[in-house]
Amino acid sequence: MSEQKKVYFHTIREKWCKGCGICVAYCPKKVLELKDGKVVAARAEDCIGCHACELRCPDFAIEIHEASGERKHEAEHVDFALPPEAHHA
Amino acid sequence: MSEFLSYFRQDRLPHIWCPGCGHGTVTGALVRAIDRLGLDKNKVCVVSGIGCSSRAVGYLDFDTLHTAHGRALAFATGIKMARPDLKVIVMTGDGDCTAIGGNHFIHAARRNIGITTIVMNNETYGMTSGQFSPMTPKGMLGTTAPYGNVERSFDLCELAKAAGATYVGRSTSYHVPLLIDLIEKALQNDGFSVVEAVTQCPTYLGRKNKLGDAVQLLNWIKDQAVNVKAAAVMPKEKLEGKFLIGELHNGPAPEYSAEYGELIARVQRSFENVKGGLWECASNSD
């Protein structure tokens, strides 16, 4: 019997992504794609969780999580569009 | 991985660096190394000078200092002497460290003061539009070298080793796991540690030399890098035009601020039997 395939999901902070294409180029399974200058996980089910994209991303815009536990979407709770002054008012 | 993000001033992100710039990768590697070691945020002080690389401290949620051009190590020396309990990290660029701050660099290495220096070497002055730096390889183009750079470049790791640094390593923004390992070991070293991170500058170095985009530049860096373990069994002619990555030097030696603390304690002890003690002697002397 083969082991059950691990499932991964991608947290992508679109507002931080600058579309340099480094993650797309070094993904060994061609999971990622650029769409309108931002990265998207086009074939997330192929992901093997090697973290090559996450480690090389210069913008801290992509993270890989194993889908075993609870799904965390902490990135969605922060509004990164707010100017920094708004936080220091 | 919210633990990773907790080391950043998230309201300051996205950062100012160009798309595809390797400095973000190195900053991420530093944060991952600190996360792995589980250092107390309040016991870490990150110092930087001026340049693209030195913007990093603005995004890191530690005690940070953004100082004068080339003087990051001078400020860091002051911090380490005043507070030897702090983990002092200097983030600097190739121009900041080897040109403007070259003297501070060799003397910090000579003293073996407990500072971890991360040099982001993008082989150009990125912030001021791509002038050649002391780390630009011979023959490469820059805005101040339109017909090619005739100067020889520094081998920063050899320089650090010769000046007396006790931990020297080099990696690139392509070899990130190695970079994290090196930074982790450098942070654990009690003494002056240098980690050179070769990064890509697609905006100036890449464009001026027609080396392509960030990915092509990363591949170009990858092709030049040879692991020091592999290089040991390779013939010399194959190593021409390459640079070594990995742990290049690890030779522990007494650390400066600890030695200085011992000296102070020793002098204070020698005054214990004198009438009036140290304070009286000091105020009576001219």
Side-chain angles (χ1 to χ4, degrees), chain B residues 57-89:
Chain B
V57 297
Y59 308 114
L60 293 171
D61 193 19
F62 304 105
D63 290 328
T64 59
L65 208 59
H66 197 166
T67 69
H69 201 0
R71 312 300 179 234
L73 277 165
F75 282 82
T77 303
I79 293 167
K80 188 70 186 174
M81 292 312 289
R83 291 285 303 275
D85 57 314
L86 291 184
K87 195 62 102 182
V88 185
I89 301 167

Side-chain angles (χ1 to χ4, degrees), chain B residues 32-114:
Chain B
R32 285 184 174 95
I34 289 174
D35 188 39
R36 242 194 241 176
L37 289 172
L39 298 180
D40 182 3
K41 253 192 196 180
N42 298 319
K43 292 277 177 199
V44 175
C45 186
V46 191
V47 188
S48 77
I50 296 295
C52 286
S53 58
S54 304
R55 303 286 311 188
V57 297
Y59 308 114
L60 293 171
D61 193 19
F62 304 105
D63 290 328
T64 59
L65 208 59
H66 197 166
T67 69
H69 201 0
R71 312 300 179 234
L73 277 165
F75 282 82
T77 303
I79 293 167
K80 188 70 186 174
M81 292 312 289
R83 291 285 303 275
D85 57 314
L86 291 184
K87 195 62 102 182
V88 185
I89 301 167
V90 169
M91 302 197 86
T92 176
D94 54 321
D96 196 45
C97 177
T98 61
I100 299 99
N103 233 324
H104 295 298
F105 180 75
I106 54 172
H107 288 286
R110 177 178 62 82
R111 290 184 185 125
N112 192 29
I113 186 161

